[in-house]
Amino acid sequence: MTQPPELRPRTRLVHGGTVRSPFGEMSEALFLTQGFAYPSAEAAEARFVGEDPGFVYARYGNPTVRMFEERIALLEDAEDAFAAASGMAAIHAAIMCQVAAGDHVVASRALFGSCLYIIETLLPRFGVQATLVDGPDLDAWRAAMRPETKLCFIESPANPTLELIDIAAVARIAHEAGARLIVDNVFATPMFQRPLALGADIVVYSATKHIDGQGRCLGGVVLGTRRFIRDELEPYMKHTGAALSPFNAWVLLKGLETLELRCRAQAEGAARIAEALAGSPALARLIYPGREDHPQAALARRQMSSGGTMLALELRGGKAAAFRFMNALRIALISNNLGDAKTIVTHPATTTHQRLSPEQRAALGISDGLVRVSVGLEDPEDLIADLARGLEAARNGD
Ligand SMILES: *Cc1c(COP(=O)(O)O)cnc(C)c1O
């Protein structure tokens, strides 16, 4: 690592991992190159046998991608990191590189849809059995563990209900059974929740979300011990080709510089919006992990340093009311992304979670009136006025 670890997070986000070329450029260089020329045949041989640590091919690694990996690893106090072309490429590799036929995986049921596909549909095709449990139910985790359980996988807060899972407790249960815990930390962001410090073995991110934070490019990253990253993940990534493009790595590297400022401003906005809208007669429920009325407020305080940038609103009047609410908004945009500078509203039942049966959605707490809100960087007062306009329209039924 190129920065001393005692630096505080904001400083690490600005300077961590920077390697300057002989030109001394101020902004991190974009090394838009597939390959690397060697000074001699001997040097090429030394690179390939690993005696020289330099770069070989952009599918294996690239200087701009490496700067991004080092910067986020420093932020999380992780020994190492490996970037991928998208969040799903990172999650797929983090799981697949360590399971084989006969293994067993336990995951929380409330997962991002594509993570659920990998665990529930893809793994069994290759002889890896999966058990899905109700994430907050620790007895269910204990009961699900088997001698062949290799991995546990969770997302907290979960999408879109913002339900929390006790990361430290699930890590203990996993470790007692000889399994590892992977945490998808996208909703909490690296600023507000530190799964490795809570006992998780591996953390995965869709960098597409808050790390880019301005809606530009896809990316993903896996963090863990140096041994896991280099001995297990790197060979899988190198040979299967989900490399992050150097251009996207450069965008994400610059995104990290402002990550703390953006997440803090967005979370402050989310908390103010929650305060202003709670109790609205149009709402059956407002869910925000930073509020005392969140069903797991004590756990939120224990494992998160902020309520985060996401809210969930459950409107009275089901789908019709949710649609009236969304269609009346003038600032917040209707989309399915999150973590963006622009505030986004999503109706999970008809978009991100429409693939599930009504029974599955009900089991996950995704009602037809539920709207997910990703709070952006706009002035919170403008957002409160916009969302209040939506709630008014939802109530009026026009
Ligand atoms: C978006 C997201 C992913 C997938 O990331 P991509 O970059 O879109 O591939 C995985 N998990 C969570 C929680 C997400 O929000």
Side-chain angles (χ1 to χ4, degrees):
M1 297 289 150
T2 51
Q3 296 293 327
E6 65 271 18
L7 294 173
R8 292 174 178 79
R10 274 173 65 169
T11 312
R12 294 184 199 189
L13 284 169
V14 175
H15 291 285
T18 303
V19 176
R20 290 202 164 78
S21 83
F23 295 113
E25 63 280 351
M26 189 69 192
S27 173
E28 296 77 356
L30 168 51
F31 290 95
L32 205 52
T33 180
Q34 301 162 338
F36 303 86
Y38 312 105
S40 65
E42 288 78 8
E45 183 184 26
R47 227 41 77 102
F48 268 79
V49 299
E51 285 164 7
D52 175 332
F55 293 97
V56 170
Y57 188 52
R59 177 152 46 76
Y60 294 20
N62 166 285
T64 309
V65 175
R66 191 64 200 142
M67 284 192 256
F68 167 67
E69 292 165 341
E70 292 228 359
R71 186 167 291 180
I72 186 145
L74 272 162
L75 176 66
E76 299 250 342
D77 288 313
E79 286 180 15
D80 216 337
F82 207 97
S86 67
M88 285 323 304
I91 293 165
H92 172 258
I95 294 172
M96 288 309 226
C97 78
Q98 52 178 327
V99 293
D103 288 342
H104 174 243
V105 173
V106 186
S108 51
R109 196 170 283 117
L111 289 182
F112 186 73
S114 301
C115 298
L116 203 58
Y117 172 82
I118 290 176
I119 287 165
E120 201 180 24
T121 307
L122 200 55
L123 290 181
R125 273 202 226 157
F126 298 92
V128 178
Q129 298 311 310
T131 305
L132 295 175
V133 299
D134 179 19
D137 182 353
L138 297 176
D139 288 333
W141 284 96
R142 285 185 201 100
M145 304 308 284
R146 302 182 195 162
E148 62 274 21
T149 306
K150 194 78 179 279
L151 274 186
C152 295
F153 187 97
I154 61 172
E155 184 186 317
S156 179
N159 175 29
T161 55
L162 308 181
E163 178 181 86
L164 308 188
I165 298 175
D166 187 333
I167 296 174
V170 174
R172 274 195 300 277
I173 294 167
H175 294 161
E176 273 162 25
R180 291 173 178 162
L181 173 63
I182 304 183
V183 177
D184 179 340
N185 203 36
V186 165
F187 269 56
T189 82
M191 300 320 310
F192 301 141
Q193 182 167 272
R194 302 174 57 79
L196 294 175
L198 292 166
D201 302 281
I202 296 155
V203 177
V204 290
Y205 286 106
S206 164
T208 312
K209 311 295 166 57
H210 301 82
I211 294 174
D212 175 337
Q214 291 164 79
R216 298 162 295 193
C217 59
L218 295 176
V221 65
V222 183
L223 299 117
T225 62
R226 180 150 306 126
R227 254 177 97 172
F228 168 70
I229 298 291
R230 293 301 145 200
D231 298 349
E232 298 179 58
L233 183 71
E234 184 182 321
Y236 190 89
M237 285 295 297
K238 266 162 82 162
H239 300 303
T240 56
L244 178 63
S245 102
F247 179 81
N248 287 2
W250 181 82
V251 173
L252 299 172
L253 184 60
K254 300 308 280 179
L256 284 177
E257 278 187 354
T258 56
L259 182 70
E260 197 269 352
L261 298 175
R262 288 184 287 104
C263 287
R264 189 150 46 94
Q266 288 171 242
E268 277 170 20
R272 275 171 65 186
I273 291 166
E275 199 54 43
L277 302 188
S280 159
L283 291 177
R285 208 153 61 109
L286 179 150
I287 311 168
Y288 182 59
R291 275 177 66 83
E292 275 314 301
D293 62 1
H294 188 282
Q296 297 156 294
L299 176 59
R301 274 196 304 275
R302 219 166 48 239
Q303 69 182 21
M304 296 175 74
S305 59
S306 151
T309 67
M310 306 292 298
L311 301 167
L313 306 177
E314 193 168 336
L315 285 108
R316 296 185 198 279
K319 178 180 165 183
F323 276 27
R324 282 197 301 274
F325 167 75
M326 293 168 75
N327 289 334
L329 301 174
R330 295 185 201 153
I331 298 173
L333 301 169
I334 300 168
S335 185
N336 43 270
N337 200 10
L338 62 102
D340 200 281
K342 297 176 175 70
T343 295
I344 291 170
V345 292
T346 312
H347 186 244
T350 52
T351 60
T352 53
H353 292 71
Q354 52 83 21
R355 196 172 63 88
L356 303 182
S357 68
E359 294 73 33
Q360 284 174 309
R361 280 199 293 272
L364 291 175
I366 304 170
S367 70
D368 286 349
L370 190 79
V371 175
R372 188 184 79 184
V373 183
S374 168
V375 178
L377 284 172
E378 303 93 336
D379 190 307
E381 294 308 317
D382 288 337
L383 291 174
I384 289 167
D386 196 39
L387 296 167
R389 173 173 33 243
L391 292 179
E392 198 57 33
R395 275 183 74 199
N396 290 340
D398 53 29

